[in-house]
């Protein structure tokens, strides 16, 4: 009992512990709550949350690159694409229509891991030569890479399905799954369970487990030799190298682990949709995830998750609903003229709001960096670092004396 | 003896590795040249000069935009991602003037043409360049200056943010559509002899860009502010000790870079007769590739890089396939950064 | 005594500037060896050549009989050379104990796998290096400040923390770049005591120092650089009597 109290006392002031507790409780009760609020028809909201989980996974991974190691990766969506297409290649009928002529249907989990490893390898190949150079070159190389990859998939003709992409991917499966009254059945065990769009709660649960596993693994890394080295490299590469840290390897690991997470998320996403196309992996995805990490708090895992959840909700729930709601609000207030589109000027309030996406990205990235650089849920280190950033201005830049 | 051998190995191995890559690089270039030559010969002279003219004109615009990237990078070592969108803003702003009553007042409407547009067009250039310059100065003030001493990552993120914000504002303003840009320039072809011609449009674009670049070079080399800019780029602390106002110099750099980008925006509109809110991002990346190609921080390098990238673009489009042009340009970007990060003319040694 | 570090004909040029010009000397195991010279003599450049931050333009650096010329810094650290910096370079936003724990990086054997899954091996290693870090903090008198952020420590404490971090790499040779700069006389006495403790742990000390009293008292042998060239080498007494040294260095500062 006293151990429980100790644990409570030592963690109740720790914002991260509180955040994790809220996440866990929220995740457990979310499906029941939305079902209750929608009179049992809340399935689409459960599916909505499960899709948001993809962004949470990506944000956790990008946080390793940007938050832990201090590297700017602007081609993050490319690894997502590579993960998706790899999954599509090894787990669908697709290879059967290529010149290979022999379809491959690897088991779901193995295909998922292959997607992840291929993305990680692509990250390593891209990062190895680039990370020897200065940090901001990585930003531009990843940006270029992020532009190339979707085009290659689009132009890949028979190998990548060209413009229409690849469909008919094997859906996720598990050796077994629990069913029960929550989906209107008796308690039971379904062997060889295949996920489908009729069972969104199963997707949701699987997503929660994947996120939980990722959080634990990334958390372990952060509190390890490698996590310390990332922090050191981010603060002072010269001092880190003098202390025996191979800065290139350490940065490369951060970059590849980020790519692996993105690839994993991409493979899962492809499996879930049972379809991949080059249209879903543009720069906008990379910026979205970056804005999520910055919003939540760079360098803090629950921060990145919170940022992802908040921005996902804004972009995919508030923003699509906003035009209709604003239009009816304007009508109700007698401001009908706001709704009328003028062919040469005002496009109508609904249309304006639907175009706000990029403005939101911009405001988040600029506003957060200027006003609250530690994000919504700061990591302890970041808080310290940025609180004192202004003092740095007074001291001369430190450099290796010749 | 053993150490001597080791020492030799230590120096020679990376050398041979590098030269191996160089050999591969040269082979690739040779094969590409051979293939191009064959196609050029098949295509005939007229087509070649048309393509070349197109490439030079396109390259002139790249060069104008690349200069802003390279100047800003030279002075504060920041990749100003918003620069490409300042360029689009130039096209948007000038288009807004032309289509507004103000345009009619100065004698420019979407249907104007002929020699009468020259003077109003000049005015349009000045106003647009000034507008873009002021916007860029404001961007530097708001988004970069407060972060000058923050971790390096911070201003890079605000730069991406500013790019998104500008695109967002233009998107809200005009929507994600291709907007028609008036066609003021003559459509005729100027004969070069032997049946070869070059479009008058291309000549106009090239001439304006070259004039602007000459003015810029004179300014950087001759004026006091230009000298201050060069000094600040070399060693900011020393320049400060010499009494150079760093903030003013940096503002001036953003001012000039954006003025050139704004001019590039109008030229782009006049040349392609179409502009879209998100154009600047990719176009900016091509221009950045040009800057990298010429050696980032190197002003003549950026100009030359612009023309080279423009020509590569046109040749790839004209003689190979448009499908692979964009990947080709970005592949050049990545390869130059990885294997020759100082660029073809670059002298700045990248720190680790 | 065998030389632990041998510098042979090392030159370093930056463009036209010759920062270090054909310098040779040997540091013997178990001694305190000092490098002195006026400002801009090339002392730190030489340190950077030894620790791999610069590759010498010419010449070789041999450590424990092994050619380490051109090794990158992390490999010289692994080989057993640790250093501090003239202008302290700590990880400001890491705690004192984390700074020292980071110093263990190069001796740790946990792999990515161990870190990902927090294997028993990784846990034990983390426990061990934490204990060792506390010992080292105790050694430099910072045990009470283990959980302070490095940036919040006083100047003298930061210098000592940097030494503790360097010691954490388990070096055979410790390079100190002006360790007494900005110290009070009392702190200088403590520093010299610390150097003796380090020496007693079997670590050779090679230092750059401006304070002549520290150099003359602490070191066994001295090399003097001026304008990148070696102008003298010997015991403190010999160097003090050397005419060129007096002209180049002592004469001016006296």
């Amino acid at each position: 009992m006293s151990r429980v109290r100790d644990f409570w006392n030592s963690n109740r002031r720790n914002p991260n512990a509180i955040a994790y507790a809220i996440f866990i409780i929220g995740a457990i009760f979310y499906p029941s709550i939305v079902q209750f609020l929608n009179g049992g028809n809340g399935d689409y909201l459960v599916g909505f949350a499960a899709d948001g989980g993809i962004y949470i996974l990506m944000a956790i991974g990008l946080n390793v690159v940007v938050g832990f190691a201090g590297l700017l990766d602007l081609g993050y969506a490319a690894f997502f694409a590579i993960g998706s297409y790899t999954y599509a290649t090894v787990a669908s009928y697709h290879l059967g229509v290529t010149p290979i002529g022999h379809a491959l249907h690897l088991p779901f989990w193995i295909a998922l891991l292959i997607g992840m490893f291929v993305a990680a390898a692509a990250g390593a190949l891209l990062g190895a030569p680039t990370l020897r150079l200065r940090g901001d070159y990585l930003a531009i190389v990843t940006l270029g890479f992020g532009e190339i990859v979707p085009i290659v998939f689009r132009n890949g003709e028979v190998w990548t399905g060209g413009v229409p992409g690849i469909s008919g991917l094997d859906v996720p499966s598990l050796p077994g799954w629990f069913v029960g009254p929550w989906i209107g059945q008796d308690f039971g065990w379904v062997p060889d369970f295949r996920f489908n769009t009729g069972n969104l709660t199963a997707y949701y649960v699987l997503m929660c487990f994947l996120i939980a596993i990722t959080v634990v693994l990334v958390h372990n890394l952060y509190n390890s030799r490698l996590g310390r080295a990332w922090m050191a490299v981010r603060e002072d590469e010269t001092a880190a190298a003098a202390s025996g840290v191979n800065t290139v390897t350490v940065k490369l690991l951060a970059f590849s682990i980020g790519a692996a997470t993105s690839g994993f998320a991409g493979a899962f996403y492809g499996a879930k949709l049972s379809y991949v196309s080059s249209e879903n992996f543009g720069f906008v995805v990379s910026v979205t995830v970056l804005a999520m990490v910055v919003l939540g708090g760079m360098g803090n895992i629950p921060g990145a998750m919170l940022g992802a959840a908040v921005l996902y909700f804004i972009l995919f729930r508030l923003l699509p609903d906003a035009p209709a709601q604003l239009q009816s609000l304007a009508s109700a207030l007698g401001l009908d003229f706001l709704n009328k589109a003028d062919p040469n000027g005002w496009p109508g309030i609904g249309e304006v709001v639907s175009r706000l996406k990029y403005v939101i990205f911009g405001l988040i990235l600029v506003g957060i960096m200027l006003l609250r650089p530690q994000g919504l849920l700061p990591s302890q280190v970041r808080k310290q670092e940025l609180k004192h950033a202004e003092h740095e201005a007074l001291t001369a830049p430190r450099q290796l004396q010749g | 003896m053993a150490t001597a051998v080791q020492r030799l190995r230590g120096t020679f191995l990376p050398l041979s590795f590098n030269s191996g890559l160089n050999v591969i690089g040269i082979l690739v270039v040779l094969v590409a040249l051979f293939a191009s030559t064959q196609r050029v010969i098949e295509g005939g002279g007229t087509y070649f000069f048309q393509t070349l003219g197109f490439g030079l004109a396109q390259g002139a615009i790249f060069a104008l935009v690349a200069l802003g990237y390279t100047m800003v990078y030279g002075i504060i070592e920041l990749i100003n991602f918003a620069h490409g969108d300042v360029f689009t803003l130039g096209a948007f702003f000038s288009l807004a003037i032309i289509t507004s009553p103000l345009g009619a007042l100065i004698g420019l409407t979407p249907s104007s043409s002929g020699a009468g547009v020259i003077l109003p067009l000049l005015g349009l250039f000045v106003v647009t360049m000034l507008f873009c310059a002021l916007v860029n100065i404001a961007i530097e003030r708001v988004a970069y200056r407060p972060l000058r001493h923050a971790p390096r990552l911070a201003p890079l993120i605000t730069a991406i943010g500013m790019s998104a914000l500008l695109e967002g504002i233009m998107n809200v303003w005009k929507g994600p559509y291709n907007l028609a840009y008036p066609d003021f320039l003559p459509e005729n072809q100027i004969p070069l002899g032997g049946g070869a011609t070059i479009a008058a449009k291309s000549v106009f674009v090239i001439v304006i860009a070259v004039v602007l670049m000459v003015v810029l070079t004179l300014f950087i080399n001759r004026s006091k502010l230009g000298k201050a800019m060069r000094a600040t780029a070399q060693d900011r602390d020393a320049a400060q000790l010499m009494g150079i106002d760093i903030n003013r110099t940096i503002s001036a750099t953003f001012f000039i870079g954006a003025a050139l980008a704004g001019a590039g925006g109008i030229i782009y509109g006049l040349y392609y007769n179409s502009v879209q809110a998100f154009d600047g991002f990719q176009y900016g990346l091509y221009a950045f590739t040009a800057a990298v190609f010429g050696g980032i921080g190197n002003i003549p390098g950026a100009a030359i890089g612009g023309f080279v990238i423009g020509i590569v673009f046109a040749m790839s489009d004209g003689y190979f396939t448009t499908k692979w042009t964009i990947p080709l340009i970005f592949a050049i970007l990545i390869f130059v950064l990885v294997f020759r990060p100082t660029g073809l003319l670059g002298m700045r040694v990248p720190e680790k | 005594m065998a030389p632990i570090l041998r510098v042979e004909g090392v030159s370093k040029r930056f463009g036209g500037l010759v920062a270090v010009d054909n310098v040779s000397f040997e540091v013997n195991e178990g001694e305190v060896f000092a490098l002195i010279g006026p400002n801009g003599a090339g002392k730190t450049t030489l340190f950077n050549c030894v620790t791999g931050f610069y590759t010498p333009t010419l010449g070789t650096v041999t450590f424990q009989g092994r050619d380490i010329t051109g090794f990158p810094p992390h490999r010289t650290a692994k080989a057993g050379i640790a250093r501090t910096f003239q202008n302290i370079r700590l990880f400001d936003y890491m705690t004192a104990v984390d700074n020292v724990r980071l110093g263990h990086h190069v001796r740790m054997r946990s792999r990515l796998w161990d870190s990902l899954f927090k294997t028993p091996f990784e846990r034990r290693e983390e426990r061990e290096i934490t204990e060792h870090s506390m010992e080292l903090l105790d050694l430099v008198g910072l045990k009470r400040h283990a959980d302070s952020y490095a940036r919040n420590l006083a100047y003298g404490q930061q210098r000592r923390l940097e030494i503790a971090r360097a010691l954490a790499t388990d070096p055979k040779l410790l390079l100190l770049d002006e360790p007494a700069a900005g110290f009070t006389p009392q702190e200088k006495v403590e520093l010299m005591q610390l150097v003796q403790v380090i020496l007693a742990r079997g670590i050779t000390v090679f230092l750059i120092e401006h304070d002549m009293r520290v150099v003359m008292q602490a070191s066994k042998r001295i090399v003097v650089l001026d304008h990148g060239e070696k102008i003298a080498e010997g015991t403190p007494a010999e160097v003090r009597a050397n005419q060129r040294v007096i002209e180049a260095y002592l004469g001016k500062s006296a």
Side-chain angles (χ1 to χ4, degrees):
Chain A
M1 201 53 218
S2 71
R3 283 183 64 175
V4 174
R5 196 177 305 136
D6 283 349
F7 184 78
W8 169 252
N9 280 334
S10 64
N11 283 301
R12 69 176 168 174
R13 285 185 177 282
N14 177 352
N16 277 357
I18 299 169
Y20 281 131
I22 294 174
F23 280 143
I24 293 171
I25 294 168
I28 291 172
F29 289 105
Y30 174 83
S32 340
I33 291 172
V34 294
Q35 294 291 13
F36 176 74
L37 289 178
N38 290 279
N41 298 318
D43 250 10
Y44 73 100
L45 283 172
V46 176
F48 174 75
D51 287 345
I54 298 275
Y55 278 97
I56 291 183
L57 273 182
M58 288 178 82
I60 294 170
L62 187 63
N63 180 47
V64 172
V65 188
V66 178
F68 292 171
L71 304 165
L72 189 52
D73 181 352
L74 295 173
Y76 199 58
F79 302 112
F80 190 78
I82 291 172
S84 290
Y85 270 91
T86 307
Y87 181 85
T89 307
V90 298
S92 78
Y93 294 97
H94 175 66
L95 272 185
V97 298
T98 65
I100 290 177
H102 207 83
L104 208 55
H105 290 278
L106 295 181
F108 171 67
W109 293 97
I110 292 175
L112 207 57
L113 289 180
I114 290 177
M116 179 174 103
F117 280 116
V118 171
L125 277 178
L126 185 67
T130 315
L131 286 166
R132 288 184 291 114
L133 312 167
R134 46 187 309 155
D136 36 8
Y137 282 14
L138 184 76
I140 208 79
V141 167
T142 50
L143 187 50
F145 184 69
E147 295 290 316
I148 292 178
V149 167
I151 302 180
V152 169
F153 284 134
R154 190 179 320 138
N155 291 350
E157 293 169 4
V158 68
W159 294 101
T160 59
V163 176
I166 303 169
S167 50
L169 276 57
D170 298 351
V171 294
S173 62
L174 273 177
W177 190 259
F178 275 111
V179 291
W182 53 87
I183 50 165
Q185 295 177 14
D186 289 337
F187 283 105
W189 175 254
V190 183
D192 190 22
F193 182 79
R194 286 184 185 278
F195 289 78
N196 59 63
T197 44
N199 190 348
L200 291 168
T201 311
Y203 265 118
Y204 175 83
V205 173
L206 181 61
M207 201 67 226
C208 288
F209 272 111
L210 290 179
I211 291 173
I213 292 167
T214 313
V215 168
V216 169
L217 295 183
V218 172
H219 184 84
N220 284 348
L221 281 181
Y222 183 63
N223 289 307
S224 75
R225 171 183 189 232
L226 188 58
R228 251 191 328 265
W230 283 334
M231 224 188 299
V233 165
R234 195 183 69 205
E235 288 210 9
D236 187 336
E237 267 191 54
T238 303
S243 308
V245 176
N246 185 345
T247 54
V248 176
T249 309
V250 161
K251 286 191 283 186
L252 192 57
L253 272 172
F255 189 65
S256 297
I257 288 168
T261 318
S262 190
F264 182 80
F268 186 78
Y269 176 78
K272 202 221 143 180
L273 284 185
S274 189
Y275 165 67
V276 291
S277 136
S278 61
E279 302 307 311
N280 303 334
F281 311 113
F283 180 66
V284 60
V285 177
S286 302
V287 169
T288 308
V289 182
L290 179 67
M292 286 169 169
V293 173
V294 169
L295 176 67
M298 282 186 287
N300 199 24
I301 304 168
M305 293 166 68
L306 180 68
V310 170
L311 191 53
Y312 178 74
F313 182 72
I314 293 175
L315 290 180
F316 295 95
R317 183 92 203 139
L318 284 188
L319 217 49
D321 284 358
Q325 288 179 354
L326 269 173
Q327 275 168 352
S328 52
L329 184 71
S331 302
L333 292 175
L335 300 171
D336 257 327
F337 67 92
L338 283 176
N339 291 336
K340 292 210 182 69
D342 167 354
N344 290 319
W346 182 250
I349 194 164
E351 177 64 21
V352 167
V353 171
S354 70
R355 292 177 188 170
L356 276 177
K357 192 167 166 184
Y358 279 82
V359 174
I360 292 173
F361 290 150
L363 288 179
I364 287 177
L365 291 175
V366 177
I368 294 278
M369 287 318 290
L370 291 177
L371 304 174
R372 196 182 157 83
Q374 68 274 34
L376 295 178
L377 198 62
S379 78
Q380 294 298 314
V381 181
R382 277 273 155 188
K383 241 196 302 195
Q384 275 275 330
E385 210 170 291
L386 294 153
K387 203 159 55 186
H388 296 285
E390 58 266 35
H391 295 297
E392 293 281 310
L394 301 173
T395 59
R398 296 181 302 178
Q399 40 189 221
L400 214 62
Q401 197 210 312
Chain B
M1 191 60 207
T3 55
V5 170
Q6 247 179 1
R7 185 93 191 86
L8 280 179
R9 207 179 292 143
T11 52
F12 274 111
L13 265 185
L15 196 73
S16 61
F17 175 68
N18 272 339
S19 55
L21 281 174
N22 284 341
V23 168
I24 294 172
I26 290 167
L27 277 178
V28 169
V29 171
L30 282 180
V31 168
L33 273 180
F34 180 70
S36 326
T37 325
Q38 222 173 12
R39 296 207 177 195
V40 166
I41 291 166
E42 282 167 18
T46 313
Y47 185 63
F48 173 76
F49 279 103
Q50 261 173 5
T51 312
L52 187 67
F54 182 62
L56 284 171
Q58 193 160 243
I61 306 176
F62 287 151
L64 281 180
V65 183
L67 285 169
Y69 278 113
T70 225
M71 286 168 68
V72 166
Y73 195 92
I75 207 152
I76 55 171
E77 306 208 330
L78 170 74
I79 302 169
N80 181 12
F81 287 108
H83 189 70
D85 302 297
V86 171
F87 157 82
T88 323
L89 191 64
F92 264 60
F93 179 80
S94 56
L95 181 61
I97 290 189
I98 297 168
T99 50
S100 74
L102 196 68
L105 205 67
I106 59 169
L108 276 182
T109 61
S111 53
S112 311
S113 65
V117 299
I118 293 179
L119 222 60
L121 206 53
L122 210 63
L124 187 67
F125 265 98
V126 172
V127 174
T128 305
M129 288 166 76
L130 208 62
F131 175 75
C132 289
L134 293 179
V135 168
N136 210 26
I137 285 189
I139 290 174
E140 194 268 333
R141 269 283 164 80
V142 172
Y144 305 151
R145 189 172 298 178
L147 298 173
R148 211 175 283 164
H149 299 278
R152 280 186 83 94
L153 191 61
L156 275 179
I157 290 175
T158 51
I160 285 285
M162 270 299 168
S163 168
L165 192 59
L166 284 180
E167 281 171 24
I169 290 170
M170 289 187 284
N171 185 30
V172 170
W173 182 16
K174 295 283 183 188
Y177 316 114
N178 281 318
L179 310 172
Y181 200 100
D183 192 5
F184 294 143
L185 301 179
E187 286 295 335
N188 59 311
Q189 300 279 329
I190 298 171
L192 295 172
T197 59
I198 184 167
K201 250 183 169 180
S202 301
V203 174
F204 165 84
V205 168
I206 296 163
V207 167
I208 292 208
V210 169
V211 167
L212 285 170
M213 283 186 263
V214 169
V215 171
L216 174 75
T217 311
L218 288 178
F219 175 80
I220 300 268
N221 288 339
R222 300 283 168 82
S223 76
K224 207 173 155 194
L225 198 55
K227 280 178 190 154
M229 282 163 64
R230 280 185 292 151
T232 310
Q234 258 185 20
D235 188 336
R236 197 193 302 170
D237 294 331
Q240 197 154 23
L241 288 175
M242 293 293 138
I244 290 173
D245 183 343
I246 299 297
N247 284 334
R248 219 181 113 227
T249 314
I250 292 174
S251 288
T253 311
F254 276 83
F255 184 98
I256 297 169
L260 294 175
I266 302 182
I267 299 176
Y268 178 87
L270 292 173
Y271 193 70
Y272 295 100
N273 306 119
S274 158
V275 63
Q276 194 249 0
F278 298 101
D279 275 353
F281 188 77
Q282 275 219 338
Y283 214 76
L285 265 179
Y286 306 146
F288 188 83
T289 307
V292 165
F293 192 81
I296 185 109
N298 181 325
I299 288 175
I304 296 170
F307 283 109
V308 171
I309 295 297
I311 292 169
V312 170
F313 215 106
M315 293 295 163
S316 169
D317 273 355
Y319 288 102
F320 294 91
T321 156
T322 51
K323 261 168 74 175
W324 291 102
T325 302
I326 294 171
L328 172 71
I329 299 293
F330 291 137
I332 291 177
L333 173 69
I334 293 175
F335 275 89
V336 172
L337 273 182
V338 167
F339 295 110
R340 204 175 156 79
T342 51
L344 290 193
L345 301 175
M347 280 156 285
R348 300 171 62 89
V349 179
E351 70 182 41
K352 281 194 177 174
Chain C
M1 249 183 289
I4 187 166
L5 178 77
R6 180 185 292 146
V7 172
E8 283 175 289
V10 165
S11 298
K12 180 67 191 173
R13 288 196 200 98
F14 298 100
L17 179 82
V18 184
V20 174
D21 191 7
N22 194 19
V23 171
S24 304
F25 58 83
E26 285 173 1
V27 179
N28 291 327
E29 201 163 344
E31 70 177 354
V32 177
F33 188 88
L35 181 62
I36 65 171
N39 278 328
K43 306 184 295 290
T44 299
T45 307
L46 190 67
F47 258 31
N48 285 337
C49 286
V50 171
T51 48
F53 283 97
Y54 297 152
T55 304
T57 316
L58 282 172
T60 55
V61 180
T62 315
F63 178 68
Q64 291 186 318
R66 179 171 167 214
D67 185 0
I68 60 160
T69 321
F71 271 31
H74 66 269
R75 285 188 66 196
T76 61
K78 181 146 199 171
I81 300 178
R83 75 172 288 181
T84 65
F85 292 89
Q86 185 181 350
N87 34 18
I88 309 168
R89 297 189 85 129
L90 288 166
F91 306 115
D92 283 350
Y93 302 96
M94 288 165 71
T95 59
V97 68
D98 272 347
N99 267 275
V100 184
R101 289 207 290 184
L102 186 275
H104 289 83
H105 184 90
V106 72
R107 303 290 161 218
M108 292 177 75
R109 300 213 319 278
S110 295
R111 313 299 306 174
L112 183 62
W113 182 264
D114 299 303
S115 299
L116 265 177
F117 297 102
K118 276 248 167 280
T119 57
F121 176 78
E122 203 263 1
R123 285 164 196 267
R124 192 171 66 240
E125 195 174 39
E126 282 289 325
R127 212 163 41 237
E128 281 167 10
I129 66 143
T130 307
E131 278 166 21
H132 192 233
S133 299
M134 293 310 283
E135 275 171 46
L136 288 173
L137 283 177
D138 198 20
L139 185 77
V140 298
L142 288 173
K143 198 171 182 179
R144 281 191 310 130
H145 300 282
D147 291 324
S148 305
Y149 282 101
R151 64 165 294 118
N152 296 338
L153 296 176
Y155 176 78
Q157 293 172 331
Q158 291 190 347
R159 283 238 176 261
R160 296 204 301 270
L161 178 57
E162 213 189 5
I163 294 177
R165 185 182 68 192
L167 289 175
T169 65
D170 191 19
K172 290 282 166 281
L173 175 68
L174 177 62
L175 276 65
L176 302 173
D177 198 343
E178 298 200 26
F183 271 18
T184 63
Q186 173 60 30
E187 283 174 323
K188 284 177 186 167
V189 172
E190 285 169 14
L191 175 75
M192 282 191 280
Q193 286 166 352
L194 180 57
V195 167
Q196 289 310 314
V197 173
I198 293 169
L199 220 51
R201 293 168 80 108
I203 299 167
T204 310
V205 177
F206 177 15
L207 53 85
I208 292 176
E209 189 45 68
H210 266 305
D211 187 305
M212 278 308 121
R213 203 172 314 159
V214 171
V215 173
M216 296 300 166
Q217 279 181 23
S219 50
K220 198 166 169 202
R221 287 188 313 123
I222 300 173
V223 154
V224 189
L225 286 193
D226 188 26
H227 295 300
E229 285 177 59
K230 182 171 98 170
I231 59 170
E233 180 176 359
T235 64
E238 286 164 6
V239 166
R240 203 178 301 158
N242 185 303
Q243 195 58 37
R244 277 188 80 187
V245 175
I246 292 167
E247 276 167 21
Y249 186 81
L250 296 174
K252 278 180 208 154
S253 66

